[in-house]
Amino acid sequence: MVHLSPSRRLRRTPFSDGVEAAGVAAYTVYNHMLLPTVFRSLEEDYRHLKEAVQIWDVACERQVELQGPDAGRLMQWMTPRDLSGIQIGRCAYIPVVDASGGMLNDPVALKLAEDRWWISLADSDLLYWVTGLAHGLRLDVRVTEPDVSPLAVQGPLAEDLAARVFGETVRGIRFFQFRRLDFRGQSLVVARSGYSKQGGFEIYVEGSDLGMTLWTTLMEAGSDLDVRAGCPNGIERIEGGLLSYGNDMTVADSPFDCGLGHFCDALGTVDHVGSKALTRIARDGPARQIRPIEIWGTPVPACDRLWPLSVGGDRVGHVSSAAYSPDFGTNVAIGMVDRAHWEPGTDLGVETSAGFRSAAVRDRFWA
Ligand code: THG
């Protein structure tokens, strides 16, 4: 891969100076921002994430803020997930769909107040869609992108590190809940969440100026815990079945295709922009669905295009993410498989960028 040319369109983050000082080896682009992908090596970063604690610059998870009397109505109009039971202080993973039921994003929503929400975006320009809905429905709500940058603390020692910086109270924050905690006289949203299965927190840094102060404080507080700069790990997230918007799903896929049916209102009583389409898909069942796929043989390269899946020469789906897992000693992958072939144990062929391989549908993700 050649270098990324720096420019104003490719936004740095409040933590980029720290990331670079820590020796970032590779970046990707996410929401027009820099997102580190490798520090030492994918495998070394993976091992360390599972054994210690890492600080992740995930400022690219941009927030869309809804503020005003109609904030709740707009939130519910965007998603098939029933938000009526979501209390202040809770996070909710939500499919966001268009009028055809196609996935526009799969953000984490945070309910800050009855009239105030943040939507912590995956990689698509959802701000335009949300602003458009607000105008089209003539809603009384302000839609903005605030100066808020998430910093994640992930790994088995994350709770110990977070407790040193934010106090013992962090231990009481449950999964997908958040509290406002003091850091240097400023109250920051600290949530137990993050794009790994290793546990940890996400700190929503309000005000870019505070970014490097928090970064440095965490690094110093965790030096004896072997804290390192890290990033979402391409092996670990496939083992855990964490989906990547733009890779594992696009606007061509419904939440049911993505295995996110349990995040959709089961009774079909929630009125949202994709209600009609999703009611039909829920009734008929999806024609294909995301499945864990095991690819046999030696380590496969990174999946930078769809790899066709086949049975007896007929195409039955594709693989969208793959990696060799050191812990499971096999190639772990995420695929989209047609209904007739998605049963666990089904043998498939996959045309990887390094040639044809045998593969199989698994019953569950690895971790
Ligand atoms: N944290 C925050 N914002 C984000 C992400 C994040 N925005 C972009 C991206 N990640 C959105 N995608 C996901 C995908 C999976 C999860 C969160 C965001 C996730 N899933 C849990 C799982 O699958 O185990 C379960 C969620 C649940 O049970 O509600 O955490 O990581 N701020």
Side-chain angles (χ1 to χ4, degrees), residues 30-31 56 58 60-63 81 91-94 105-110 119-123 150 175-176 191 193-197 202 204 240-245 249 260 262-263:
Y30 195 101
N31 284 327
W56 295 2
V58 284
C60 65
E61 296 167 355
R62 299 313 299 164
Q63 309 305 300
R81 180 160 176 180
C91 308
Y93 182 45
I94 59 167
N105 205 290
D106 68 329
V108 175
L110 290 80
I119 314 172
S120 186
L121 297 185
D123 186 22
F175 186 61
F176 266 49
S193 58
Y195 199 65
S196 88
K197 289 287 194 183
E202 291 180 298
Y204 291 75
L242 294 172
L243 304 182
S244 168
Y245 188 78
M249 57 193 160
L260 300 178
H262 55 295
F263 292 112

mmCIF file of all heavy atoms in Angstrom, residues 30-31 56 58 60-63 81 91-94 105-110 119-123 150 175-176 191 193-197 202 204 240-245 249 260 262-263, ligand 1:
data_model
loop_
_atom_site.group_PDB
_atom_site.id
_atom_site.type_symbol
_atom_site.label_atom_id
_atom_site.label_comp_id
_atom_site.label_asym_id
_atom_site.label_seq_id
_atom_site.Cartn_x
_atom_site.Cartn_y
_atom_site.Cartn_z
ATOM 1 N N TYR A 30 -11.859 6.438 7.543
ATOM 2 C CA TYR A 30 -13.173 6.084 8.094
ATOM 3 C C TYR A 30 -13.882 7.388 8.400
ATOM 4 O O TYR A 30 -13.343 8.231 9.116
ATOM 5 C CB TYR A 30 -12.935 5.274 9.362
ATOM 6 C CG TYR A 30 -14.100 4.502 9.939
ATOM 7 C CD1 TYR A 30 -14.236 3.130 9.734
ATOM 8 C CD2 TYR A 30 -15.042 5.132 10.750
ATOM 9 C CE1 TYR A 30 -15.274 2.415 10.314
ATOM 10 C CE2 TYR A 30 -16.084 4.416 11.327
ATOM 11 C CZ TYR A 30 -16.195 3.055 11.108
ATOM 12 O OH TYR A 30 -17.213 2.330 11.693
ATOM 13 N N ASN A 31 -15.041 7.588 7.835
ATOM 14 C CA ASN A 31 -15.731 8.880 7.985
ATOM 15 C C ASN A 31 -14.784 10.053 7.659
ATOM 16 O O ASN A 31 -14.770 11.064 8.362
ATOM 17 C CB ASN A 31 -16.318 9.029 9.398
ATOM 18 C CG ASN A 31 -17.583 8.216 9.580
ATOM 19 O OD1 ASN A 31 -18.368 8.038 8.646
ATOM 20 N ND2 ASN A 31 -17.794 7.702 10.779
ATOM 21 N N TRP A 56 -7.237 3.305 22.122
ATOM 22 C CA TRP A 56 -7.584 3.384 20.695
ATOM 23 C C TRP A 56 -8.100 4.760 20.319
ATOM 24 O O TRP A 56 -9.043 5.268 20.934
ATOM 25 C CB TRP A 56 -8.704 2.405 20.348
ATOM 26 C CG TRP A 56 -8.428 0.944 20.465
ATOM 27 C CD1 TRP A 56 -7.296 0.312 20.892
ATOM 28 C CD2 TRP A 56 -9.368 -0.098 20.136
ATOM 29 N NE1 TRP A 56 -7.466 -1.050 20.847
ATOM 30 C CE2 TRP A 56 -8.729 -1.324 20.389
ATOM 31 C CE3 TRP A 56 -10.679 -0.111 19.656
ATOM 32 C CZ2 TRP A 56 -9.362 -2.557 20.175
ATOM 33 C CZ3 TRP A 56 -11.318 -1.320 19.443
ATOM 34 C CH2 TRP A 56 -10.647 -2.534 19.698
ATOM 35 N N VAL A 58 -10.404 6.235 18.252
ATOM 36 C CA VAL A 58 -11.581 5.955 17.421
ATOM 37 C C VAL A 58 -12.412 7.236 17.255
ATOM 38 O O VAL A 58 -13.644 7.199 17.220
ATOM 39 C CB VAL A 58 -12.420 4.780 17.969
ATOM 40 C CG1 VAL A 58 -11.744 3.454 17.660
ATOM 41 C CG2 VAL A 58 -12.669 4.921 19.465
ATOM 42 N N CYS A 60 -12.818 8.718 14.698
ATOM 43 C CA CYS A 60 -13.548 8.592 13.432
ATOM 44 C C CYS A 60 -14.986 8.114 13.639
ATOM 45 O O CYS A 60 -15.802 8.212 12.726
ATOM 46 C CB CYS A 60 -12.809 7.648 12.496
ATOM 47 S SG CYS A 60 -12.766 5.970 13.144
ATOM 48 N N GLU A 61 -15.275 7.571 14.813
ATOM 49 C CA GLU A 61 -16.678 7.285 15.163
ATOM 50 C C GLU A 61 -17.328 8.636 15.465
ATOM 51 O O GLU A 61 -17.442 9.047 16.617
ATOM 52 C CB GLU A 61 -16.755 6.348 16.373
ATOM 53 C CG GLU A 61 -16.166 4.964 16.114
ATOM 54 C CD GLU A 61 -15.951 4.139 17.389
ATOM 55 O OE1 GLU A 61 -16.163 4.657 18.501
ATOM 56 O OE2 GLU A 61 -15.545 2.981 17.282
ATOM 57 N N ARG A 62 -17.684 9.355 14.394
ATOM 58 C CA ARG A 62 -18.211 10.718 14.563
ATOM 59 C C ARG A 62 -19.608 10.691 15.169
ATOM 60 O O ARG A 62 -20.391 9.781 14.896
ATOM 61 C CB ARG A 62 -18.294 11.453 13.209
ATOM 62 C CG ARG A 62 -16.978 11.632 12.488
ATOM 63 C CD ARG A 62 -15.886 12.149 13.364
ATOM 64 N NE ARG A 62 -16.138 13.463 13.953
ATOM 65 C CZ ARG A 62 -15.447 13.955 14.984
ATOM 66 N NH1 ARG A 62 -14.497 13.245 15.554
ATOM 67 N NH2 ARG A 62 -15.721 15.150 15.444
ATOM 68 N N GLN A 63 -19.900 11.694 15.942
ATOM 69 C CA GLN A 63 -21.228 11.805 16.548
ATOM 70 C C GLN A 63 -22.128 12.696 15.700
ATOM 71 O O GLN A 63 -21.701 13.741 15.208
ATOM 72 C CB GLN A 63 -21.137 12.435 17.955
ATOM 73 C CG GLN A 63 -20.124 11.776 18.858
ATOM 74 C CD GLN A 63 -20.334 10.288 18.994
ATOM 75 O OE1 GLN A 63 -21.388 9.867 19.455
ATOM 76 N NE2 GLN A 63 -19.360 9.491 18.574
ATOM 77 N N ARG A 81 -35.313 -0.509 15.511
ATOM 78 C CA ARG A 81 -35.206 -0.924 16.916
ATOM 79 C C ARG A 81 -36.164 -0.084 17.761
ATOM 80 O O ARG A 81 -36.203 1.143 17.632
ATOM 81 C CB ARG A 81 -33.769 -0.751 17.424
ATOM 82 C CG ARG A 81 -33.647 -1.182 18.876
ATOM 83 C CD ARG A 81 -32.240 -1.500 19.297
ATOM 84 N NE ARG A 81 -32.213 -1.812 20.722
ATOM 85 C CZ ARG A 81 -31.129 -2.128 21.407
ATOM 86 N NH1 ARG A 81 -29.957 -2.162 20.789
ATOM 87 N NH2 ARG A 81 -31.186 -2.405 22.693
ATOM 88 N N CYS A 91 -26.709 3.082 26.137
ATOM 89 C CA CYS A 91 -26.304 3.010 24.737
ATOM 90 C C CYS A 91 -27.186 1.957 24.062
ATOM 91 O O CYS A 91 -27.661 1.030 24.714
ATOM 92 C CB CYS A 91 -24.857 2.558 24.598
ATOM 93 S SG CYS A 91 -23.669 3.479 25.577
ATOM 94 N N ALA A 92 -27.386 2.085 22.780
ATOM 95 C CA ALA A 92 -28.150 1.089 22.029
ATOM 96 C C ALA A 92 -27.540 0.945 20.642
ATOM 97 O O ALA A 92 -27.342 1.930 19.937
ATOM 98 C CB ALA A 92 -29.611 1.516 21.916
ATOM 99 N N TYR A 93 -27.212 -0.301 20.307
ATOM 100 C CA TYR A 93 -26.716 -0.603 18.953
ATOM 101 C C TYR A 93 -27.939 -0.625 18.046
ATOM 102 O O TYR A 93 -28.869 -1.384 18.300
ATOM 103 C CB TYR A 93 -26.007 -1.955 18.985
ATOM 104 C CG TYR A 93 -25.393 -2.423 17.687
ATOM 105 C CD1 TYR A 93 -24.642 -1.570 16.878
ATOM 106 C CD2 TYR A 93 -25.516 -3.759 17.291
ATOM 107 C CE1 TYR A 93 -24.056 -2.031 15.714
ATOM 108 C CE2 TYR A 93 -24.922 -4.223 16.122
ATOM 109 C CZ TYR A 93 -24.195 -3.354 15.343
ATOM 110 O OH TYR A 93 -23.612 -3.807 14.185
ATOM 111 N N ILE A 94 -27.968 0.225 17.023
ATOM 112 C CA ILE A 94 -29.182 0.336 16.207
ATOM 113 C C ILE A 94 -28.885 0.210 14.715
ATOM 114 O O ILE A 94 -27.987 0.858 14.183
ATOM 115 C CB ILE A 94 -29.924 1.684 16.459
ATOM 116 C CG1 ILE A 94 -29.040 2.897 16.149
ATOM 117 C CG2 ILE A 94 -30.448 1.758 17.895
ATOM 118 C CD1 ILE A 94 -29.814 4.210 16.076
ATOM 119 N N ASN A 105 -26.316 2.534 8.114
ATOM 120 C CA ASN A 105 -25.274 2.644 9.129
ATOM 121 C C ASN A 105 -25.674 1.692 10.261
ATOM 122 O O ASN A 105 -26.829 1.261 10.328
ATOM 123 C CB ASN A 105 -25.184 4.093 9.642
ATOM 124 C CG ASN A 105 -23.810 4.452 10.215
ATOM 125 O OD1 ASN A 105 -23.439 3.965 11.268
ATOM 126 N ND2 ASN A 105 -23.072 5.298 9.511
ATOM 127 N N ASP A 106 -24.718 1.352 11.128
ATOM 128 C CA ASP A 106 -25.040 0.546 12.316
ATOM 129 C C ASP A 106 -24.394 1.179 13.541
ATOM 130 O O ASP A 106 -23.509 0.616 14.160
ATOM 131 C CB ASP A 106 -24.607 -0.921 12.141
ATOM 132 C CG ASP A 106 -23.100 -1.093 12.089
ATOM 133 O OD1 ASP A 106 -22.390 -0.180 11.613
ATOM 134 O OD2 ASP A 106 -22.608 -2.155 12.557
ATOM 135 N N PRO A 107 -24.870 2.377 13.908
ATOM 136 C CA PRO A 107 -24.214 3.115 14.986
ATOM 137 C C PRO A 107 -24.608 2.629 16.381
ATOM 138 O O PRO A 107 -25.528 1.837 16.554
ATOM 139 C CB PRO A 107 -24.731 4.546 14.775
ATOM 140 C CG PRO A 107 -26.094 4.356 14.205
ATOM 141 C CD PRO A 107 -25.994 3.126 13.323
ATOM 142 N N VAL A 108 -23.885 3.169 17.343
ATOM 143 C CA VAL A 108 -24.273 3.079 18.744
ATOM 144 C C VAL A 108 -24.954 4.409 19.081
ATOM 145 O O VAL A 108 -24.372 5.469 18.852
ATOM 146 C CB VAL A 108 -23.040 2.884 19.652
ATOM 147 C CG1 VAL A 108 -23.436 2.911 21.120
ATOM 148 C CG2 VAL A 108 -22.319 1.586 19.315
ATOM 149 N N ALA A 109 -26.189 4.345 19.571
ATOM 150 C CA ALA A 109 -26.900 5.561 19.974
ATOM 151 C C ALA A 109 -26.776 5.728 21.483
ATOM 152 O O ALA A 109 -26.797 4.744 22.224
ATOM 153 C CB ALA A 109 -28.364 5.474 19.567
ATOM 154 N N LEU A 110 -26.609 6.953 21.927
ATOM 155 C CA LEU A 110 -26.541 7.251 23.356
ATOM 156 C C LEU A 110 -27.656 8.226 23.702
ATOM 157 O O LEU A 110 -27.766 9.296 23.090
ATOM 158 C CB LEU A 110 -25.197 7.901 23.732
ATOM 159 C CG LEU A 110 -23.935 7.047 23.681
ATOM 160 C CD1 LEU A 110 -23.425 6.919 22.255
ATOM 161 C CD2 LEU A 110 -22.847 7.646 24.569
ATOM 162 N N ILE A 119 -25.477 9.917 18.077
ATOM 163 C CA ILE A 119 -25.414 8.725 17.235
ATOM 164 C C ILE A 119 -23.953 8.563 16.854
ATOM 165 O O ILE A 119 -23.389 9.397 16.142
ATOM 166 C CB ILE A 119 -26.271 8.885 15.967
ATOM 167 C CG1 ILE A 119 -27.659 9.450 16.292
ATOM 168 C CG2 ILE A 119 -26.398 7.551 15.259
ATOM 169 C CD1 ILE A 119 -28.449 9.808 15.042
ATOM 170 N N SER A 120 -23.334 7.481 17.346
ATOM 171 C CA SER A 120 -21.895 7.253 17.159
ATOM 172 C C SER A 120 -21.687 6.394 15.909
ATOM 173 O O SER A 120 -21.840 5.183 15.929
ATOM 174 C CB SER A 120 -21.329 6.569 18.401
ATOM 175 O OG SER A 120 -19.933 6.460 18.309
ATOM 176 N N LEU A 121 -21.315 7.069 14.839
ATOM 177 C CA LEU A 121 -21.447 6.491 13.495
ATOM 178 C C LEU A 121 -20.395 5.479 13.086
ATOM 179 O O LEU A 121 -19.212 5.615 13.395
ATOM 180 C CB LEU A 121 -21.387 7.607 12.451
ATOM 181 C CG LEU A 121 -22.482 8.660 12.463
ATOM 182 C CD1 LEU A 121 -22.282 9.592 11.281
ATOM 183 C CD2 LEU A 121 -23.849 8.001 12.417
ATOM 184 N N ALA A 122 -20.852 4.507 12.301
ATOM 185 C CA ALA A 122 -19.965 3.704 11.467
ATOM 186 C C ALA A 122 -19.689 4.509 10.188
ATOM 187 O O ALA A 122 -20.091 5.676 10.073
ATOM 188 C CB ALA A 122 -20.615 2.365 11.152
ATOM 189 N N ASP A 123 -19.015 3.888 9.225
ATOM 190 C CA ASP A 123 -18.464 4.629 8.092
ATOM 191 C C ASP A 123 -19.477 4.907 6.976
ATOM 192 O O ASP A 123 -19.468 4.254 5.943
ATOM 193 C CB ASP A 123 -17.258 3.858 7.541
ATOM 194 C CG ASP A 123 -16.542 4.638 6.446
ATOM 195 O OD1 ASP A 123 -16.682 5.868 6.403
ATOM 196 O OD2 ASP A 123 -15.846 3.997 5.638
ATOM 197 N N PRO A 150 -14.477 9.995 20.374
ATOM 198 C CA PRO A 150 -14.321 8.828 21.251
ATOM 199 C C PRO A 150 -12.872 8.327 21.300
ATOM 200 O O PRO A 150 -12.173 8.293 20.286
ATOM 201 C CB PRO A 150 -15.227 7.769 20.614
ATOM 202 C CG PRO A 150 -16.194 8.536 19.778
ATOM 203 C CD PRO A 150 -15.418 9.713 19.266
ATOM 204 N N PHE A 175 -22.378 -3.028 30.890
ATOM 205 C CA PHE A 175 -22.228 -3.050 29.428
ATOM 206 C C PHE A 175 -23.319 -2.208 28.766
ATOM 207 O O PHE A 175 -24.510 -2.364 29.053
ATOM 208 C CB PHE A 175 -22.285 -4.491 28.923
ATOM 209 C CG PHE A 175 -22.008 -4.640 27.441
ATOM 210 C CD1 PHE A 175 -20.784 -4.249 26.904
ATOM 211 C CD2 PHE A 175 -22.961 -5.168 26.589
ATOM 212 C CE1 PHE A 175 -20.526 -4.393 25.542
ATOM 213 C CE2 PHE A 175 -22.715 -5.305 25.224
ATOM 214 C CZ PHE A 175 -21.489 -4.915 24.707
ATOM 215 N N PHE A 176 -22.886 -1.320 27.903
ATOM 216 C CA PHE A 176 -23.765 -0.416 27.153
ATOM 217 C C PHE A 176 -24.521 0.574 28.038
ATOM 218 O O PHE A 176 -25.585 1.066 27.665
ATOM 219 C CB PHE A 176 -24.703 -1.195 26.222
ATOM 220 C CG PHE A 176 -24.123 -1.323 24.819
ATOM 221 C CD1 PHE A 176 -22.809 -1.750 24.620
ATOM 222 C CD2 PHE A 176 -24.863 -0.998 23.691
ATOM 223 C CE1 PHE A 176 -22.254 -1.853 23.342
ATOM 224 C CE2 PHE A 176 -24.317 -1.095 22.402
ATOM 225 C CZ PHE A 176 -23.003 -1.523 22.238
ATOM 226 N N ALA A 191 -18.505 5.272 28.679
ATOM 227 C CA ALA A 191 -19.421 4.147 28.431
ATOM 228 C C ALA A 191 -18.657 2.837 28.477
ATOM 229 O O ALA A 191 -17.483 2.783 28.101
ATOM 230 C CB ALA A 191 -20.080 4.303 27.058
ATOM 231 N N SER A 193 -18.258 -0.012 26.519
ATOM 232 C CA SER A 193 -18.555 -0.413 25.142
ATOM 233 C C SER A 193 -17.240 -0.432 24.382
ATOM 234 O O SER A 193 -16.187 -0.140 24.944
ATOM 235 C CB SER A 193 -19.531 0.593 24.498
ATOM 236 O OG SER A 193 -18.973 1.903 24.518
ATOM 237 N N GLY A 194 -17.314 -0.762 23.122
ATOM 238 C CA GLY A 194 -16.103 -0.762 22.293
ATOM 239 C C GLY A 194 -16.110 -1.886 21.282
ATOM 240 O O GLY A 194 -16.787 -2.901 21.473
ATOM 241 N N TYR A 195 -15.331 -1.673 20.232
ATOM 242 C CA TYR A 195 -15.346 -2.576 19.089
ATOM 243 C C TYR A 195 -14.363 -3.725 19.288
ATOM 244 O O TYR A 195 -13.499 -3.998 18.457
ATOM 245 C CB TYR A 195 -15.019 -1.767 17.835
ATOM 246 C CG TYR A 195 -15.409 -2.418 16.529
ATOM 247 C CD1 TYR A 195 -16.736 -2.647 16.202
ATOM 248 C CD2 TYR A 195 -14.437 -2.784 15.611
ATOM 249 C CE1 TYR A 195 -17.084 -3.221 14.997
ATOM 250 C CE2 TYR A 195 -14.766 -3.358 14.403
ATOM 251 C CZ TYR A 195 -16.090 -3.580 14.107
ATOM 252 O OH TYR A 195 -16.434 -4.154 12.904
ATOM 253 N N SER A 196 -14.479 -4.410 20.449
ATOM 254 C CA SER A 196 -13.726 -5.644 20.683
ATOM 255 C C SER A 196 -14.541 -6.475 21.648
ATOM 256 O O SER A 196 -15.489 -5.983 22.258
ATOM 257 C CB SER A 196 -12.337 -5.367 21.266
ATOM 258 O OG SER A 196 -12.388 -5.297 22.690
ATOM 259 N N LYS A 197 -14.167 -7.736 21.783
ATOM 260 C CA LYS A 197 -14.827 -8.617 22.741
ATOM 261 C C LYS A 197 -14.011 -8.734 24.023
ATOM 262 O O LYS A 197 -14.297 -9.594 24.857
ATOM 263 C CB LYS A 197 -15.020 -10.010 22.110
ATOM 264 C CG LYS A 197 -16.069 -10.052 21.011
ATOM 265 C CD LYS A 197 -17.477 -9.943 21.572
ATOM 266 C CE LYS A 197 -18.520 -10.316 20.525
ATOM 267 N NZ LYS A 197 -19.885 -10.142 21.076
ATOM 268 N N GLU A 202 -15.419 3.390 26.391
ATOM 269 C CA GLU A 202 -15.221 4.433 25.397
ATOM 270 C C GLU A 202 -15.491 5.762 26.086
ATOM 271 O O GLU A 202 -16.521 5.937 26.740
ATOM 272 C CB GLU A 202 -16.141 4.235 24.193
ATOM 273 C CG GLU A 202 -15.737 2.999 23.385
ATOM 274 C CD GLU A 202 -16.616 2.762 22.170
ATOM 275 O OE1 GLU A 202 -17.833 2.548 22.350
ATOM 276 O OE2 GLU A 202 -16.079 2.774 21.044
ATOM 277 N N TYR A 204 -15.992 9.704 25.565
ATOM 278 C CA TYR A 204 -16.392 10.657 24.530
ATOM 279 C C TYR A 204 -15.804 12.019 24.893
ATOM 280 O O TYR A 204 -16.336 12.724 25.758
ATOM 281 C CB TYR A 204 -17.921 10.703 24.418
ATOM 282 C CG TYR A 204 -18.511 9.427 23.852
ATOM 283 C CD1 TYR A 204 -18.590 8.264 24.625
ATOM 284 C CD2 TYR A 204 -18.973 9.376 22.537
ATOM 285 C CE1 TYR A 204 -19.119 7.093 24.101
ATOM 286 C CE2 TYR A 204 -19.511 8.204 22.005
ATOM 287 C CZ TYR A 204 -19.582 7.066 22.798
ATOM 288 O OH TYR A 204 -20.100 5.914 22.269
ATOM 289 N N GLY A 240 -14.918 -12.427 16.900
ATOM 290 C CA GLY A 240 -16.063 -12.060 17.725
ATOM 291 C C GLY A 240 -17.321 -11.744 16.933
ATOM 292 O O GLY A 240 -18.362 -11.466 17.520
ATOM 293 N N GLY A 241 -17.224 -11.737 15.608
ATOM 294 C CA GLY A 241 -18.403 -11.464 14.784
ATOM 295 C C GLY A 241 -18.878 -10.028 14.835
ATOM 296 O O GLY A 241 -20.061 -9.754 14.623
ATOM 297 N N LEU A 242 -17.976 -9.096 15.109
ATOM 298 C CA LEU A 242 -18.345 -7.676 15.075
ATOM 299 C C LEU A 242 -18.355 -7.223 13.615
ATOM 300 O O LEU A 242 -17.349 -7.339 12.911
ATOM 301 C CB LEU A 242 -17.362 -6.837 15.900
ATOM 302 C CG LEU A 242 -17.389 -7.123 17.405
ATOM 303 C CD1 LEU A 242 -16.253 -6.401 18.114
ATOM 304 C CD2 LEU A 242 -18.735 -6.722 18.006
ATOM 305 N N LEU A 243 -19.485 -6.723 13.169
ATOM 306 C CA LEU A 243 -19.656 -6.390 11.750
ATOM 307 C C LEU A 243 -19.052 -5.034 11.429
ATOM 308 O O LEU A 243 -18.996 -4.142 12.267
ATOM 309 C CB LEU A 243 -21.144 -6.388 11.392
ATOM 310 C CG LEU A 243 -21.893 -7.679 11.700
ATOM 311 C CD1 LEU A 243 -23.347 -7.567 11.250
ATOM 312 C CD2 LEU A 243 -21.214 -8.879 11.046
ATOM 313 N N SER A 244 -18.609 -4.898 10.177
ATOM 314 C CA SER A 244 -18.002 -3.656 9.708
ATOM 315 C C SER A 244 -18.825 -3.117 8.544
ATOM 316 O O SER A 244 -18.874 -3.736 7.469
ATOM 317 C CB SER A 244 -16.561 -3.938 9.271
ATOM 318 O OG SER A 244 -16.030 -2.841 8.560
ATOM 319 N N TYR A 245 -19.461 -1.956 8.778
ATOM 320 C CA TYR A 245 -20.281 -1.349 7.730
ATOM 321 C C TYR A 245 -19.400 -0.951 6.548
ATOM 322 O O TYR A 245 -18.344 -0.353 6.723
ATOM 323 C CB TYR A 245 -21.048 -0.123 8.246
ATOM 324 C CG TYR A 245 -22.040 0.368 7.204
ATOM 325 C CD1 TYR A 245 -23.246 -0.286 7.009
ATOM 326 C CD2 TYR A 245 -21.731 1.444 6.369
ATOM 327 C CE1 TYR A 245 -24.128 0.113 6.024
ATOM 328 C CE2 TYR A 245 -22.612 1.859 5.383
ATOM 329 C CZ TYR A 245 -23.817 1.183 5.217
ATOM 330 O OH TYR A 245 -24.688 1.572 4.229
ATOM 331 N N MET A 249 -21.482 -5.369 5.220
ATOM 332 C CA MET A 249 -22.851 -5.001 4.837
ATOM 333 C C MET A 249 -22.845 -3.628 4.191
ATOM 334 O O MET A 249 -21.963 -2.809 4.462
ATOM 335 C CB MET A 249 -23.755 -4.987 6.065
ATOM 336 C CG MET A 249 -23.231 -4.039 7.117
ATOM 337 S SD MET A 249 -24.074 -4.302 8.667
ATOM 338 C CE MET A 249 -22.924 -3.554 9.792
ATOM 339 N N LEU A 260 -29.130 -8.943 12.215
ATOM 340 C CA LEU A 260 -29.484 -7.952 13.231
ATOM 341 C C LEU A 260 -30.998 -7.906 13.462
ATOM 342 O O LEU A 260 -31.532 -6.914 13.956
ATOM 343 C CB LEU A 260 -28.961 -6.561 12.819
ATOM 344 C CG LEU A 260 -27.437 -6.474 12.633
ATOM 345 C CD1 LEU A 260 -27.031 -5.076 12.172
ATOM 346 C CD2 LEU A 260 -26.699 -6.836 13.922
ATOM 347 N N HIS A 262 -32.673 -9.345 15.686
ATOM 348 C CA HIS A 262 -33.033 -9.193 17.108
ATOM 349 C C HIS A 262 -32.950 -7.746 17.566
ATOM 350 O O HIS A 262 -33.375 -7.426 18.675
ATOM 351 C CB HIS A 262 -32.174 -10.107 17.988
ATOM 352 C CG HIS A 262 -30.690 -9.928 17.796
ATOM 353 N ND1 HIS A 262 -30.048 -10.229 16.613
ATOM 354 C CD2 HIS A 262 -29.741 -9.475 18.636
ATOM 355 C CE1 HIS A 262 -28.758 -9.971 16.750
ATOM 356 N NE2 HIS A 262 -28.541 -9.502 17.950
ATOM 357 N N PHE A 263 -32.408 -6.869 16.724
ATOM 358 C CA PHE A 263 -32.427 -5.439 17.039
ATOM 359 C C PHE A 263 -33.577 -4.730 16.319
ATOM 360 O O PHE A 263 -33.638 -3.502 16.299
ATOM 361 C CB PHE A 263 -31.097 -4.781 16.676
ATOM 362 C CG PHE A 263 -29.940 -5.234 17.536
ATOM 363 C CD1 PHE A 263 -28.913 -5.990 16.996
ATOM 364 C CD2 PHE A 263 -29.893 -4.910 18.881
ATOM 365 C CE1 PHE A 263 -27.841 -6.402 17.782
ATOM 366 C CE2 PHE A 263 -28.831 -5.330 19.681
ATOM 367 C CZ PHE A 263 -27.809 -6.079 19.130
HETATM 368 N N1 THG B 1 -18.414 2.247 19.453
HETATM 369 C C1 THG B 1 -18.939 3.459 19.207
HETATM 370 N N2 THG B 1 -19.281 3.841 17.974
HETATM 371 C C2 THG B 1 -19.098 2.991 16.945
HETATM 372 C C3 THG B 1 -18.570 1.699 17.155
HETATM 373 C C4 THG B 1 -18.218 1.337 18.452
HETATM 374 N N3 THG B 1 -19.428 3.368 15.700
HETATM 375 C C5 THG B 1 -18.973 2.601 14.592
HETATM 376 C C6 THG B 1 -19.051 1.120 14.827
HETATM 377 N N4 THG B 1 -18.414 0.806 16.100
HETATM 378 C C7 THG B 1 -20.489 0.670 14.841
HETATM 379 N N5 THG B 1 -20.597 -0.763 14.820
HETATM 380 C C8 THG B 1 -20.702 -1.525 15.958
HETATM 381 C C9 THG B 1 -20.734 -2.882 15.835
HETATM 382 C C10 THG B 1 -20.851 -3.689 16.956
HETATM 383 C C11 THG B 1 -20.952 -3.113 18.211
HETATM 384 C C12 THG B 1 -20.906 -1.757 18.327
HETATM 385 C C13 THG B 1 -20.801 -0.957 17.202
HETATM 386 C C14 THG B 1 -21.107 -3.938 19.426
HETATM 387 N N6 THG B 1 -21.782 -5.091 19.352
HETATM 388 C C15 THG B 1 -21.939 -5.989 20.478
HETATM 389 C C16 THG B 1 -21.634 -7.399 20.002
HETATM 390 O O1 THG B 1 -21.917 -7.712 18.869
HETATM 391 O O2 THG B 1 -21.140 -8.164 20.840
HETATM 392 C C17 THG B 1 -23.324 -6.085 21.057
HETATM 393 C C18 THG B 1 -24.133 -4.892 21.083
HETATM 394 C C19 THG B 1 -25.391 -5.126 21.899
HETATM 395 O O3 THG B 1 -25.590 -6.207 22.439
HETATM 396 O O4 THG B 1 -26.197 -4.195 22.007
HETATM 397 O O5 THG B 1 -20.661 -3.563 20.503
HETATM 398 O O6 THG B 1 -17.707 0.233 18.734
HETATM 399 N N7 THG B 1 -19.112 4.310 20.209
#
